Amino acid sequence: MQNMTDEQIRKTVKDWLRENGRTQAELASQIGLKPQSFRAQMSKSKISSQTKLALMNIIPSSSPSMLPNLDNRGKMELRLDYDTQRRVEKEALRLRMELSAYCTMAVEWCSEQEDIGERLAARLASQQQGTEKQETAKQGLPSHTESSDPATRKRTTKETLGILRIGTNPGAKRKSGSA
């Protein structure tokens, strides 16, 4: 499904739902999405990469065009964010392995896990829910940092530095010679 257009994916999903007697809501629940979010992606919205990956784990690909290029089997491109790449490099170095050997071993281990599809789909769903929460926050809804409760309000830099210098008393004056 990664190489398919969104329209091709929509047709494949629609056909699969019809053949299996399932509804969009049931499939959405299975991949960890809210039904309205899944419905939007199956209408005209862009289909997210997380949804595509989750669908790949549920809907079998029977079309030869959906199979990886046979000439490239055994070769794989990985795209990692900077922090993840640093952690992977550090772990490979710790184990005294080449980076490619470490990544190969990690992928092989994943392929041996019987429930990896469900675990990955659940993780992708929770990431997507986190993205939805971030979008809600961007829309100007109140957050915990805007609370008037003194226990939850943000401290000013001056207050924070005072606490760090003196311990727990932000009103205390700085002693000479101390940080």
Side-chain angles (χ1 to χ4, degrees), residues 116-136:
I116 196 70
E118 292 84 20
R119 290 167 47 190
L120 184 57
R123 181 174 181 176
L124 291 173
S126 75
Q127 286 176 349
Q128 185 153 356
Q129 287 174 350
T131 302
E132 288 172 359
K133 287 180 184 175
Q134 289 173 351
E135 289 172 5
T136 302

Side-chain angles (χ1 to χ4, degrees), residues 57-75:
N57 289 320
I58 295 170
I59 299 176
S61 64
S62 56
S63 168
S65 65
M66 295 171 63
L67 295 174
N69 182 344
L70 296 177
D71 293 340
N72 289 328
R73 292 237 171 135
K75 299 175 187 173

Side-chain angles (χ1 to χ4, degrees), residues 11-37:
K11 182 179 178 344
T12 301
V13 169
K14 185 178 179 181
D15 292 345
W16 185 86
L17 289 171
R18 190 178 320 111
E19 290 169 10
N20 291 280
R22 306 275 304 275
T23 65
Q24 280 189 352
E26 291 171 326
L27 184 55
S29 175
Q30 189 173 356
I31 63 174
L33 287 176
K34 293 180 182 177
Q36 59 268 33
S37 175

